[in-house]
Amino acid sequence: MEVLQESPLKAPAVEVVPVSSHLDSVDGEKRDENQHDASSLEGDEPDDDQLSLYEDMLDGMPDEVNWEGDPADVCTVEESIAFRKRLRLVGEDQFISETLEARTVSARKLCTAFGIKPPLLLDGQPDHKYYPLLGRGITRELRKRMKLPQYNTIDDAVDLLRRSKNIIVLTGAGISTSLGIPDFRSKDTGLYSQLQHLGLSEPQEVFDISIFWEDPSIFYSVAKDILPLTRKFSPTHAFIKLLQDKGKLLTNFTQNIDNLESHAATCVECEYQVKGEEIFNDIKAGRVPRCDRCIRTLRQYKPFGIKRKRSANGLGPSKKKRQSYEDSTDDEDYDVPIAGVMKPDITFFGEDLPANFHNRLVQHDKDLVDLVLVIGTSLKVAPVSEVSGFLPPETPQIYISREPCQHIDFDIDMLGECDMIVTELCRRLEWDFQHEMIKEGSIDVQMDEGYDSRYSFTVQSAS
């Protein structure tokens, strides 16, 4: 349908626009060409290659100022918050007038207020060289969802859960860490921090479809680590089920693949499909699962006289030592044919999401949702990361995870172990919520310093 093609979920992460056009002049007069400030951007717009590079920088930049540097060139967290609030209050034109044009702060430093680490390629360059990058940072900030001011406290969150009837839940790996399954991005303990031995340029490539086609053993060497050791489910899983039982759950969009065994698996050669649980033992052993139907078919033929050109990718037959009965004078490389690889029916990086994702979100959920819960995910991967901004701006949104999400303004942030937070919410709601993994002890909730709607949850051990 046309509505899907026009969906903002397929828009680029950062819109390419110049800094406000009014900056070309001030008070109707052109600045001296040597006086490079926010009013003299003519001739400084980057070429296409630079624009592409800037977009790549922004796409990978954290939105929290967490790098070291000269205080004169790096905004503190408090300064960053103040600059962002001021931008939204007065608008882009007035903000630039008060900062760059008034020379109260450099463009280089102002970039850091919007989560942009000054790139090395601009190191030592005049300040006006930072204008295009700053302009894109400002555009990204203005496109963010705005926090709803009426929701700030834990009691507000409890009230929203009590009265909401159509809740969208977005979940990530953080809801399964209590089961011994690592998340992806946690420093030192996350899955990505443990994949250096694979020799990939980026750890995320282990879930890239092109890498799977090239060598499926890379994916399956890691898949065993994201499967639960038992059939247990976490308290957070139980909480989502409770929402469903109470008739409150509209949709649960998940990025998790720790339930690989519940998905089907399809042979990449003959397209034979089986239940995921049939390849479970292979996955747990770190083996590449092969197609049983291909195996049965191949057993019907004798290998003599059968030669198959080796595939250019890893999903073709594995290289075998040439047998004496093969034609050694042939210039082509041939292998004994083997069974096709079974691919789990999950979405890898580089693959299109199934149509039902967009159909459900655009044609159904968008008009019904009355609350959004984001649990256990840093929302770094599109298009799930874009769902929050796609939904109606008046819909309240609550964030539950171990670390804050800096690039989206949620209405209420609750930080800590997901299991602990949902347990406390159920206690305050007076819902019957029981699970064998719930830790004993009272839960202490403290507002984070400098924030009006961010809270940290910790368990106070029972004495």
Side-chain angles (χ1 to χ4, degrees), residues 339-352:
V341 171
M342 300 301 293
K343 176 186 175 294
D345 291 349
I346 60 174
T347 304
F348 284 73
F349 293 145
E351 286 189 300
D352 291 332

Side-chain angles (χ1 to χ4, degrees), residues 269 298 306-311 315-317 333-339:
E269 294 287 346
L298 291 171
I306 298 178
K307 296 194 294 185
R308 177 174 174 178
K309 187 175 179 180
R310 190 172 66 235
S311 172
L315 290 182
D333 285 332
Y334 285 91
D335 296 307
V336 175
I338 60 176

Side-chain angles (χ1 to χ4, degrees), residues 197-267:
H197 67 282
L198 294 177
L200 303 173
S201 57
E202 294 290 340
Q204 296 92 323
E205 289 182 355
V206 74
F207 300 111
D208 191 288
I209 188 60
S210 63
I211 299 296
F212 184 86
W213 294 139
E214 180 179 336
D215 185 358
S217 68
I218 294 177
F219 169 77
Y220 282 113
S221 70
V222 173
K224 66 181 187 300
D225 297 323
I226 55 179
L227 287 177
L229 298 177
T230 68
R231 298 292 182 176
K232 287 184 179 180
F233 53 90
S234 73
T236 306
H237 290 105
F239 171 73
I240 297 170
K241 178 62 164 59
L242 183 60
L243 293 177
Q244 182 181 37
D245 292 344
K246 289 182 172 292
K248 292 177 173 289
L249 182 64
L250 179 61
T251 306
N252 176 199
F253 293 103
T254 182
Q255 303 171 86
N256 292 351
I257 58 172
D258 53 33
N259 60 338
L260 276 176
E261 74 283 358
S262 68
H263 293 270
T266 303
C267 174

Side-chain angles (χ1 to χ4, degrees), residues 164-399:
S164 295
K165 299 297 183 183
N166 292 289
I167 302 174
I168 286 180
V169 181
L170 301 177
T171 55
I175 72 170
S176 300
T177 53
S178 60
L179 299 174
I181 302 170
D183 62 14
F184 294 103
R185 291 179 171 82
S186 290
K187 186 177 180 181
D188 299 328
T189 61
L191 184 65
Y192 288 161
S193 69
Q194 304 171 35
L195 301 182
Q196 292 87 346
H197 67 282
L198 294 177
L200 303 173
S201 57
E202 294 290 340
Q204 296 92 323
E205 289 182 355
V206 74
F207 300 111
D208 191 288
I209 188 60
S210 63
I211 299 296
F212 184 86
W213 294 139
E214 180 179 336
D215 185 358
S217 68
I218 294 177
F219 169 77
Y220 282 113
S221 70
V222 173
K224 66 181 187 300
D225 297 323
I226 55 179
L227 287 177
L229 298 177
T230 68
R231 298 292 182 176
K232 287 184 179 180
F233 53 90
S234 73
T236 306
H237 290 105
F239 171 73
I240 297 170
K241 178 62 164 59
L242 183 60
L243 293 177
Q244 182 181 37
D245 292 344
K246 289 182 172 292
K248 292 177 173 289
L249 182 64
L250 179 61
T251 306
N252 176 199
F253 293 103
T254 182
Q255 303 171 86
N256 292 351
I257 58 172
D258 53 33
N259 60 338
L260 276 176
E261 74 283 358
S262 68
H263 293 270
T266 303
C267 174
V268 300
E269 294 287 346
C270 70
E271 299 186 352
Y272 179 58
Q273 193 172 75
V274 300
K275 293 182 179 179
E277 60 191 24
E278 294 187 28
I279 65 172
F280 185 84
N281 289 336
D282 283 330
I283 295 176
K284 290 303 297 181
R287 296 189 298 264
V288 176
R290 297 283 175 175
C291 174
D292 287 339
R293 188 168 76 174
C294 285
I295 292 173
R296 291 194 299 269
T297 300
L298 291 171
R299 284 174 177 170
Q300 297 176 11
Y301 300 95
K302 294 182 179 180
F304 294 96
I306 298 178
K307 296 194 294 185
R308 177 174 174 178
K309 187 175 179 180
R310 190 172 66 235
S311 172
N313 61 48
L315 290 182
S318 60
K319 187 172 183 179
K320 304 269 186 179
K321 183 177 180 180
R322 187 182 297 276
Q323 302 297 318
S324 59
Y325 54 78
E326 294 193 45
D327 185 1
S328 60
T329 62
D330 197 329
D331 292 333
E332 301 271 15
D333 285 332
Y334 285 91
D335 296 307
V336 175
I338 60 176
V341 171
M342 300 301 293
K343 176 186 175 294
D345 291 349
I346 60 174
T347 304
F348 284 73
F349 293 145
E351 286 189 300
D352 291 332
L353 283 172
N356 60 358
F357 171 84
H358 296 286
N359 293 342
R360 177 79 183 186
L361 182 64
V362 177
Q363 301 177 13
H364 183 264
D365 292 357
K366 183 180 179 181
D367 296 328
L368 294 176
V369 60
D370 54 11
L371 177 63
V372 177
L373 296 180
V374 178
I375 310 178
T377 172
S378 58
L379 289 180
K380 293 290 181 67
V381 179
V384 174
S385 61
E386 299 168 7
V387 170
S388 172
F390 174 75
L391 296 172
E394 67 274 12
T395 303
Q397 301 194 17
I398 296 173
Y399 183 73

